Amino acid sequence: MNYKNEQMEEEKVFKDTVHRYVRVKDRVIWDLIATPEFQRLRRIKQLGTTYLTFHGAEHSRFNHSLGVYEIVRRMIQKIENNPKWNKEERLLALSAALLHDLGHGPFSHSFEKVFQLDHEVYTREIILGDTSVNQILSRVEEGFPEKVAAVIEKTYKDKLVVSLISSQIDADRMDYLQRDAYYTGVSYGHFDMERILRVMRPVEDQVVIKSTGMHAVEDYIMSRYQMYWQVYFHPVTRSAEVILTKIFHRAKHLYANGYHFKQTPVHLLSFFTGNVCLKDYLKLDEAFVYSYFHEWQEEEDFILSDLCERFMNRRLFKYIEFPPGQQKRWERLKHLFKEADIDPNYYLVNDSSSDLPYDVYRAGEEARVPIFLQMPNGELKELSEHSTIVDAITGKTRTDHKLYYPKDFIEHIEDISLKQEIKSLLNGN
Ligand code: ZN
């Protein structure tokens, strides 16, 4: 039997907190899981700094990736006898599901922002470059690594395969919503995935939902909405994220200015100088980042050591609502922070988060393929046309603006009038 179709004698089973079992029978999938590039995902948390708000949220990208694979495996089981589904694409869909987050680095959100990196570019490089993952994919058939990369980048010609892994109702979202809900311990984020899988139908180049399953889909959209505001954009998590970003900024700035670190951050030098190669990137994980933060608490530079001490010991910044259009108040605060010897570049941070819970395609904008319901007569209807609940949140972006600052520093300002003015500006007076 060729490698592409090789099945293991015995099915391998992973116990999983969300799906109970993750089942692997394909040799290729089993080999991909064993690669160093995939094992590295064990050392990268799925939700970055969220564990500082919800202490259970320590789960990794490894466990999410296995979950997405398992959902796609179950989806294929439901649709494999449908004439629209091309059976030849099975291993491609499973491999893309498993590898879709392969390029994520430690604390991707802040890290990528400061060092101008993009995990999607790295996912592609790991799949196509000189790696164990590439060796395995290349053994499947010629051009297979390129196909896997194309599915993940949504450019693959068979859009049905793409839609299983990325669309407004895909295996990626279905896994992370349930998994993140489980590990944070919140009561949102749960929906009836079994029901959704049962009412999915491939039509043309995408998956649609039988109209009787509409309420299960509504529940999924609402849980996504709730999870964004209750978990992903939680202001305390964002406070930790702000500090993390500032640590990377400070370290990069110090290095650029010839600062002499007590302990040279050898693993980060290529990131500081912008000459990152794939090997450097793959070496980096959260353990490395933490070990630097640990060391940097002892640095001479006050800002770097203070920020690291805050992050390690969860002494986070406080926050206030800060809607846009308050230029004067912002400028004045910056000025007063400087007066008080608190560097506003690191200690006064404007941060906003926004989410578009569900959207239908509008001409001229980036295409978001809507969710379609299949009516009993076979006709397709876009979800928000039929569901009042979904219609109420369709196309509505909600944004939340906050201002972050270290309250303890303000309390310690000796000049009473300066302290009063800062406090009253922060209180919105
Ligand atoms: Zn994912």
Side-chain angles (χ1 to χ4, degrees):
M1 194 188 284
N2 65 10
Y3 188 47
K4 182 176 180 182
N5 299 316
E6 189 180 333
Q7 302 290 297
M8 292 180 294
E9 237 164 76
E10 250 179 69
E11 182 180 61
K12 303 281 187 185
V13 174
F14 294 81
K15 283 288 281 170
D16 186 75
T17 46
V18 176
H19 309 305
R20 291 198 63 224
Y21 296 105
V22 173
R23 297 171 188 279
V24 181
K25 195 93 206 300
D26 296 81
R27 168 67 61 190
V28 174
I29 297 298
W30 186 247
D31 290 348
L32 285 171
I33 293 172
T35 59
E37 296 87 25
F38 192 77
Q39 292 290 319
R40 166 184 162 273
L41 298 178
R42 291 182 188 269
R43 303 187 298 274
I44 292 174
K45 280 194 284 292
Q46 172 73 6
L47 289 183
T49 60
T50 303
Y51 72 99
L52 291 165
T53 313
F54 299 94
H55 66 263
E58 300 259 5
H59 56 303
S60 69
R61 299 232 175 242
F62 179 89
N63 78 59
H64 161 66
S65 299
L66 282 185
V68 177
Y69 153 83
E70 175 62 17
I71 297 178
V72 169
R73 194 190 66 78
R74 290 184 197 177
M75 285 173 161
I76 295 173
Q77 248 177 9
K78 305 272 181 202
I79 63 174
E80 68 189 342
N81 293 321
N82 190 298
K84 297 276 181 232
W85 174 252
N86 177 358
K87 288 196 163 110
E88 281 296 299
E89 308 285 40
R90 185 177 162 279
L91 187 67
L92 174 63
L94 294 177
S95 309
L98 187 73
L99 304 178
H100 78 286
D101 274 345
L102 199 57
H104 270 285
F107 307 112
S108 318
H109 191 67
S110 335
F111 203 80
E112 290 182 8
K113 200 158 80 183
V114 177
F115 299 112
Q116 282 147 16
L117 306 166
D118 179 352
H119 65 265
E120 291 180 2
V121 172
Y122 282 100
T123 300
R124 185 185 167 78
E125 276 194 32
I126 298 169
I127 290 171
L128 302 180
D130 179 15
T131 60
S132 307
V133 163
N134 179 268
Q135 276 171 23
I136 290 166
L137 296 175
S138 301
R139 263 182 74 193
V140 172
E141 64 189 22
E142 216 198 304
F144 195 66
E146 287 74 13
K147 280 189 187 175
V148 173
V151 173
I152 297 172
E153 288 165 357
K154 302 180 228 174
T155 54
Y156 188 62
K157 58 180 188 328
D158 187 339
K159 295 293 177 242
L160 185 56
V161 178
V162 174
S163 76
L164 301 184
I165 296 146
S166 41
S167 63
Q168 294 201 73
I169 183 157
D170 60 27
D172 185 20
R173 292 179 191 200
M174 284 204 258
D175 184 79
Y176 73 63
L177 291 176
Q178 297 181 84
R179 192 168 300 278
D180 298 343
Y182 177 89
Y183 284 98
T184 49
V186 299
S187 50
Y188 335 95
H190 304 283
F191 56 91
D192 190 349
M193 186 178 80
E194 284 310 313
R195 175 107 185 105
I196 294 179
L197 296 185
R198 259 206 305 280
V199 294
M200 279 178 32
R201 302 278 179 275
V203 169
E204 301 309 324
D205 56 1
Q206 75 168 110
V207 173
V208 303
I209 306 290
K210 220 174 121 187
S211 63
T212 50
M214 182 178 82
H215 297 296
V217 178
E218 286 180 338
D219 222 22
Y220 154 85
I221 303 258
M222 291 316 284
S223 55
R224 180 172 181 273
Y225 175 80
Q226 299 276 15
M227 283 299 282
Y228 268 82
W229 292 104
Q230 302 295 335
V231 175
Y232 305 136
F233 296 157
H234 196 289
V236 174
T237 307
R238 281 158 60 195
S239 175
E241 201 74 46
V242 159
I243 294 176
L244 195 61
T245 308
K246 293 299 175 189
I247 294 176
F248 292 135
H249 266 301
R250 186 65 183 173
K252 189 181 172 192
H253 169 86
L254 291 174
Y255 182 78
N257 287 280
Y259 175 82
H260 186 74
F261 287 87
K262 281 187 181 167
Q263 192 80 258
T264 313
V266 271
H267 302 96
L268 293 175
L269 296 185
S270 61
F271 294 90
F272 290 160
T273 54
N275 292 316
V276 186
C277 65
L278 187 57
K279 229 172 126 205
D280 298 331
Y281 190 81
L282 284 169
K283 236 187 223 165
L284 205 68
D285 58 26
E286 282 170 9
F288 267 132
V289 173
Y290 283 121
S291 77
Y292 284 123
F293 291 180
H294 222 86
E295 302 281 341
W296 290 345
Q297 290 179 72
E298 313 291 324
E299 280 295 337
E300 297 289 328
D301 180 70
F302 173 77
I303 295 178
L304 184 63
S305 69
D306 175 68
L307 292 173
C308 288
E309 195 270 325
R310 283 176 188 276
F311 188 80
M312 294 301 271
N313 300 319
R314 199 190 175 281
R315 259 193 334 109
L316 305 178
F317 290 173
K318 297 289 177 221
Y319 58 88
I320 51 165
E321 298 295 326
F322 203 76
Q326 304 186 72
Q327 199 55 28
K328 260 174 105 177
R329 186 177 167 206
W330 168 247
E331 291 299 337
R332 183 74 188 149
L333 271 169
K334 276 208 301 201
H335 173 77
L336 296 175
F337 266 56
K338 276 185 209 151
E339 295 269 283
D341 226 4
I342 305 170
D343 189 340
N345 292 320
Y346 294 94
Y347 292 104
L348 190 65
V349 185
N350 221 325
D351 179 75
S352 65
S353 289
S354 59
D355 171 46
L356 183 58
Y358 171 74
D359 204 11
V360 291
Y361 175 73
R362 271 169 298 185
E365 288 178 16
E366 195 201 342
R368 292 186 101 188
V369 181
I371 299 172
F372 286 104
L373 297 176
Q374 189 176 44
M375 309 317 279
N377 64 2
E379 190 194 339
L380 296 186
K381 269 199 170 173
E382 188 278 312
L383 176 65
S384 67
E385 274 177 52
H386 213 64
S387 159
T388 345
I389 294 179
V390 175
D391 185 45
I393 58 168
T394 295
K396 292 190 181 71
T397 308
R398 194 183 131 189
T399 311
D400 179 50
H401 304 270
K402 298 245 184 308
L403 186 71
Y404 289 89
Y405 65 97
K407 193 169 177 216
D408 51 313
F409 278 7
I410 311 297
E411 293 302 339
H412 285 102
I413 297 173
E414 276 171 12
D415 180 334
I416 303 293
S417 69
L418 182 59
K419 178 156 127 181
Q420 284 312 336
E421 192 182 349
I422 291 181
K423 276 185 155 183
S424 94
L425 273 170
L426 288 171
N427 290 331
N429 302 321

Coordinates of all heavy atoms in Angstrom, one line a residue, residues 240-273:
A240 N -2.3 42.2 30.8 CA -1.1 41.4 30.8 C -0.5 41.5 29.4 O 0.7 41.5 29.2 CB -1.5 40.0 31.1
E241 N -1.3 41.5 28.4 CA -0.8 41.6 27.0 C -0.1 42.9 26.7 O 0.9 42.9 26.1 CB -2.1 41.5 26.1 CG -1.8 41.1 24.7 CD -1.5 39.6 24.5 OE1 -2.2 38.8 25.2 OE2 -0.5 39.3 23.8
V242 N -0.6 44.0 27.3 CA 0.0 45.3 27.2 C 1.4 45.3 27.8 O 2.4 45.7 27.2 CB -0.9 46.4 27.9 CG1 -0.2 47.6 28.2 CG2 -2.1 46.7 27.0
I243 N 1.5 44.7 29.0 CA 2.8 44.6 29.7 C 3.8 43.8 28.9 O 4.9 44.2 28.7 CB 2.6 44.1 31.1 CG1 1.8 45.1 31.9 CG2 4.0 43.8 31.8 CD1 1.5 44.7 33.3
L244 N 3.3 42.6 28.4 CA 4.1 41.8 27.6 C 4.7 42.5 26.3 O 5.9 42.4 26.0 CB 3.2 40.6 27.1 CG 3.8 39.4 26.6 CD1 4.7 38.7 27.6 CD2 2.7 38.4 26.2
T245 N 3.8 43.2 25.6 CA 4.2 44.0 24.5 C 5.3 45.0 24.8 O 6.3 45.1 24.1 CB 3.0 44.7 23.8 OG1 2.0 43.7 23.7 CG2 3.3 45.3 22.5
K246 N 5.1 45.6 26.0 CA 6.0 46.7 26.4 C 7.4 46.1 26.8 O 8.4 46.7 26.6 CB 5.5 47.5 27.5 CG 4.3 48.4 27.1 CD 4.7 49.4 26.0 CE 3.5 50.2 25.5 NZ 3.8 51.0 24.3
I247 N 7.4 44.8 27.3 CA 8.6 44.2 27.7 C 9.4 43.9 26.4 O 10.6 44.3 26.3 CB 8.4 42.8 28.4 CG1 7.7 43.0 29.7 CG2 9.7 42.0 28.5 CD1 7.4 41.7 30.5
F248 N 8.8 43.4 25.4 CA 9.5 43.1 24.1 C 10.0 44.4 23.5 O 11.1 44.5 23.0 CB 8.5 42.4 23.1 CG 8.2 41.0 23.5 CD1 6.9 40.5 23.4 CD2 9.2 40.1 24.0 CE1 6.5 39.2 23.8 CE2 8.8 38.8 24.4 CZ 7.5 38.4 24.2
H249 N 9.2 45.5 23.6 CA 9.6 46.8 23.0 C 10.8 47.3 23.8 O 11.8 47.7 23.1 CB 8.5 47.8 23.3 CG 7.6 48.0 22.1 ND1 8.0 48.3 20.9 CD2 6.2 47.8 22.0 CE1 7.0 48.4 20.0 NE2 5.9 48.1 20.7
R250 N 10.8 47.2 25.1 CA 11.9 47.7 25.9 C 13.2 46.9 25.6 O 14.2 47.6 25.4 CB 11.5 47.6 27.4 CG 12.6 48.3 28.3 CD 12.6 49.8 28.0 NE 13.6 50.5 28.8 CZ 13.9 51.8 28.6 NH1 13.3 52.5 27.7 NH2 14.8 52.4 29.4
A251 N 13.1 45.6 25.5 CA 14.3 44.8 25.3 C 14.9 45.1 23.9 O 16.1 45.3 23.8 CB 13.9 43.3 25.4
K252 N 14.0 45.3 22.9 CA 14.4 45.6 21.6 C 15.1 47.0 21.5 O 16.1 47.1 20.9 CB 13.2 45.5 20.6 CG 13.5 45.6 19.2 CD 12.2 45.6 18.3 CE 12.6 45.9 16.9 NZ 11.4 46.2 16.1
H253 N 14.4 47.9 22.2 CA 15.0 49.3 22.3 C 16.3 49.3 22.9 O 17.3 50.0 22.4 CB 14.0 50.2 23.0 CG 14.5 51.5 23.4 ND1 14.4 52.6 22.5 CD2 15.1 52.0 24.5 CE1 14.9 53.6 23.1 NE2 15.4 53.3 24.3
L254 N 16.4 48.6 24.1 CA 17.7 48.6 24.8 C 18.8 48.0 23.9 O 19.9 48.5 23.8 CB 17.6 47.8 26.1 CG 16.7 48.4 27.2 CD1 16.6 47.5 28.4 CD2 17.3 49.8 27.7
Y255 N 18.5 46.9 23.3 CA 19.5 46.3 22.4 C 20.0 47.2 21.3 O 21.2 47.3 21.1 CB 18.9 45.0 21.8 CG 20.0 44.2 21.0 CD1 21.0 43.5 21.6 CD2 20.0 44.3 19.6 CE1 21.9 42.8 20.9 CE2 20.9 43.7 18.8 CZ 21.9 43.0 19.5 OH 22.9 42.3 18.7
A256 N 19.0 47.9 20.7 CA 19.3 48.8 19.6 C 20.2 49.9 20.1 O 21.0 50.5 19.3 CB 18.0 49.3 19.0
N257 N 20.1 50.3 21.4 CA 20.9 51.4 21.9 C 22.1 51.0 22.6 O 22.7 51.7 23.4 CB 20.0 52.3 22.8 CG 19.0 53.1 22.0 OD1 19.3 54.1 21.4 ND2 17.8 52.5 21.8
G258 N 22.6 49.8 22.4 CA 23.8 49.3 22.9 C 23.8 49.0 24.4 O 24.9 48.9 25.0
Y259 N 22.7 48.8 25.0 CA 22.6 48.4 26.4 C 23.3 47.1 26.6 O 23.2 46.2 25.8 CB 21.1 48.3 26.8 CG 20.9 47.9 28.2 CD1 20.9 48.7 29.3 CD2 20.5 46.5 28.4 CE1 20.7 48.3 30.6 CE2 20.2 46.1 29.7 CZ 20.3 47.0 30.8 OH 20.1 46.5 32.1
H260 N 24.0 47.0 27.7 CA 24.7 45.8 28.0 C 23.8 44.9 29.0 O 23.7 45.2 30.2 CB 26.1 46.1 28.7 CG 26.9 44.9 28.9 ND1 27.5 44.2 27.8 CD2 27.2 44.2 30.0 CE1 28.2 43.2 28.3 NE2 28.0 43.2 29.6
F261 N 23.2 43.9 28.4 CA 22.4 43.0 29.3 C 23.3 42.1 30.2 O 24.4 41.7 29.7 CB 21.6 42.0 28.4 CG 20.5 42.6 27.7 CD1 20.6 43.2 26.4 CD2 19.2 42.6 28.2 CE1 19.6 43.8 25.7 CE2 18.1 43.2 27.5 CZ 18.3 43.8 26.3
K262 N 22.9 41.9 31.4 CA 23.7 41.0 32.3 C 23.8 39.7 31.7 O 24.8 39.0 31.8 CB 23.0 40.9 33.7 CG 23.2 42.1 34.6 CD 22.6 41.8 36.0 CE 22.8 43.0 36.9 NZ 21.9 42.9 38.1
Q263 N 22.7 39.2 31.1 CA 22.6 37.9 30.5 C 22.2 38.2 29.0 O 21.0 38.6 28.8 CB 21.5 37.1 31.2 CG 21.5 35.7 30.9 CD 22.6 34.9 31.6 OE1 23.6 34.6 31.0 NE2 22.4 34.6 32.9
T264 N 23.1 38.0 28.1 CA 22.7 38.3 26.7 C 21.6 37.4 26.2 O 21.7 36.2 26.3 CB 23.9 38.1 25.7 OG1 25.0 38.7 26.3 CG2 23.7 38.7 24.4
P265 N 20.5 38.0 25.7 CA 19.4 37.1 25.3 C 19.7 36.5 23.9 O 19.1 36.9 22.9 CB 18.2 38.1 25.2 CG 18.8 39.5 25.1 CD 20.2 39.4 25.6
V266 N 20.6 35.5 23.9 CA 21.0 35.0 22.6 C 19.9 34.5 21.6 O 20.0 34.6 20.4 CB 22.0 33.8 22.8 CG1 23.4 34.3 22.9 CG2 21.7 33.0 24.0
H267 N 18.9 33.9 22.2 CA 17.8 33.4 21.4 C 16.9 34.4 20.7 O 16.1 34.2 19.9 CB 16.9 32.4 22.2 CG 17.7 31.3 22.8 ND1 18.1 31.3 24.1 CD2 18.1 30.1 22.2 CE1 18.8 30.2 24.3 NE2 18.8 29.5 23.2
L268 N 17.1 35.7 21.3 CA 16.2 36.7 20.8 C 16.9 37.7 19.8 O 16.3 38.5 19.2 CB 15.6 37.5 21.9 CG 14.6 36.7 22.8 CD1 14.2 37.6 24.0 CD2 13.4 36.3 22.0
L269 N 18.3 37.5 19.7 CA 19.0 38.5 19.0 C 18.6 38.6 17.5 O 18.4 39.7 17.0 CB 20.5 38.2 19.0 CG 21.2 38.3 20.4 CD1 22.7 38.1 20.3 CD2 20.9 39.6 21.1
S270 N 18.3 37.5 16.9 CA 17.9 37.6 15.5 C 16.5 38.3 15.4 O 16.2 38.9 14.3 CB 17.9 36.2 14.8 OG 16.9 35.4 15.5
F271 N 15.7 38.2 16.4 CA 14.4 38.9 16.4 C 14.6 40.4 16.6 O 14.0 41.2 15.9 CB 13.5 38.4 17.5 CG 13.1 37.0 17.3 CD1 13.8 35.9 17.8 CD2 12.0 36.6 16.5 CE1 13.5 34.6 17.6 CE2 11.6 35.3 16.3 CZ 12.4 34.3 16.8
F272 N 15.6 40.8 17.4 CA 15.9 42.2 17.6 C 16.4 42.8 16.3 O 16.1 44.0 16.0 CB 17.0 42.4 18.7 CG 16.5 42.0 20.1 CD1 17.5 41.7 21.1 CD2 15.2 42.0 20.4 CE1 17.0 41.4 22.4 CE2 14.8 41.7 21.7 CZ 15.7 41.4 22.7
T273 N 17.2 42.1 15.6 CA 17.8 42.7 14.4 C 17.0 42.4 13.1 O 17.3 42.9 12.0 CB 19.2 42.1 14.2 OG1 19.1 40.7 14.1 CG2 20.2 42.5 15.3

